[in-house]
Amino acid sequence: MVENSLSPISITNNLGTHFVGQRVIYYPSLTSTMEVAKQEAQQGAAEGTVIIADEQTAGKGRIKRVWLSPKGSIALSVILYPSVAYLPSLIMLASLAVMHSIEAVTGLKSRLKWPNDVLINDKKVCGVLIESNVRGGIVHYAIIGIGINVNLRLCDFPEIQPTATSLSEELGRNVSRLNVIRCLLVELEKLYLTLADGGSIYEEWRDSLVTLGRRVRVKSGETIYEGIAESVARDGSLLLRHSDGSLSKIVAGDVTLRD
Ligand code: BTN
């Protein structure tokens, strides 16, 4: 097993970023990095502060799901203070940063499933969770939570084995979590600065989605939609064409690919 220390110094040393990952708070074991990130943000932590845990005991997924993050995986949250206009882009930014860093460190190609899953060979390798506090049109904080299955043997986790994969399963060898984390923090800052400079990441995100052109079933709250995933809007929502020709714009949901 490749064992790498996730100590703050090993992450920040010569990282080369201006703010993302310049302050790292590390826990060997934690309920959820989102909880600590929220407390830190409420106390005005510096932008780019990273909360990282070797394992989470109550990892949070989207739609109130549980996220498994045993030792060997990556579980981290990054605190940002974006303007409200950039909020919808955070999902794009995070999933693209994961895609880029997986490829840079391992050579593995991944794709995205709307809205925020990173897939390798159609199986989920990473999930992204965005939580924000917006009051009176002002973003008080936004937290990007990222969980990556790095060195996991899926046979040890039968509950996710049919739909999930890990970098080590795909490669047949273990991967340095430290290299993935450092690359990820650099990519996150690069894409965040692209947005701040008026650039766009929407096109690359759209073109990386496996979802488009596919027949899908989308569960959004209590509503189930079925149709062809036609496109995504710049605000990140999914445009779904129904068999009667009508179009639905879906802001959040859970997609199952039908063919
Ligand atoms: C999903 O449901 O796909 C999103 C999963 C997000 C998991 C990450 S792991 C780091 C951060 N801390 C959490 O408790 N959740 C996010």
Side-chain angles (χ1 to χ4, degrees):
M1 158 125 183
V2 178
E3 200 29 88
N4 20 79
S5 150
L6 298 185
S7 66
I9 187 71
S10 65
I11 294 172
T12 54
N13 192 27
N14 291 325
L15 186 62
T17 58
H18 297 288
F19 55 97
V20 174
Q22 287 303 314
R23 177 170 175 242
V24 173
I25 306 173
Y26 163 78
Y27 293 84
S29 181
L30 186 63
T31 48
S32 163
T33 57
M34 299 305 277
E35 296 307 324
V36 175
K38 194 167 152 188
Q39 289 159 14
E40 284 287 327
Q42 282 164 345
Q43 289 161 19
E47 181 158 52
T49 296
V50 172
I51 319 299
I52 191 159
D54 238 330
E55 69 169 346
Q56 295 184 123
T57 53
K60 290 167 63 174
R62 285 177 59 239
I63 335 174
K64 299 202 163 92
R65 289 193 184 130
V66 170
W67 178 260
L68 278 181
S69 38
K71 283 192 166 57
S73 58
I74 290 174
L76 62 80
S77 297
V78 183
I79 299 170
L80 296 172
Y81 303 106
S83 72
V84 74
Y86 300 143
L87 221 40
S89 303
L90 294 187
I91 278 183
M92 307 178 195
L93 179 154
S95 40
L96 283 176
V98 171
M99 214 177 81
H100 292 170
S101 36
I102 287 178
E103 180 162 10
V105 175
T106 67
L108 290 167
K109 301 263 188 216
S110 52
R111 303 285 309 276
L112 307 178
K113 189 178 87 161
W114 185 89
N116 59 357
D117 290 349
V118 183
L119 309 182
I120 298 181
N121 294 324
D122 280 342
K123 290 191 163 185
K124 182 161 171 171
V125 71
C126 164
V128 174
L129 179 66
I130 311 285
E131 290 185 348
S132 58
N133 181 316
V134 185
R135 277 175 281 138
I138 295 182
V139 181
H140 288 265
Y141 61 80
I143 299 167
I144 298 180
I146 296 176
I148 310 179
N149 301 334
V150 183
N151 299 318
L152 295 197
R153 289 187 337 162
L154 267 302
C155 60
D156 294 335
F157 303 96
E159 62 274 47
I160 57 167
Q161 191 173 19
T163 54
T165 189
S166 69
L167 299 181
S168 61
E169 291 277 347
E170 295 296 322
L171 284 175
R173 64 170 169 83
N174 279 347
V175 173
S176 159
R177 282 184 304 162
L178 190 57
N179 288 350
V180 177
I181 291 163
R182 285 170 57 91
C183 195
L184 178 60
L185 298 177
V186 170
E187 283 296 317
L188 282 171
E189 182 172 291
K190 204 157 81 183
L191 293 168
Y192 191 56
L193 291 176
T194 301
L195 288 177
D197 288 346
S200 173
I201 59 172
Y202 158 78
E203 290 79 6
E204 187 188 355
W205 177 71
R206 179 196 60 200
D207 296 346
S208 303
L209 289 167
V210 284
T211 322
L212 300 189
R214 306 269 295 263
R215 179 168 297 283
V216 296
R217 186 168 189 268
V218 187
K219 187 167 185 307
S220 178
E222 293 307 305
T223 312
I224 307 274
Y225 298 88
E226 290 210 1
I228 306 284
E230 191 166 281
S231 188
V232 276
R234 283 192 170 268
D235 66 3
S237 50
L238 180 69
L239 303 175
L240 191 74
R241 183 71 65 184
H242 301 283
S243 50
D244 65 1
S246 62
L247 196 66
S248 291
K249 187 171 185 204
I250 305 169
V251 177
D254 205 29
V255 166
T256 311
L257 302 170
R258 310 285 287 179
D259 55 24

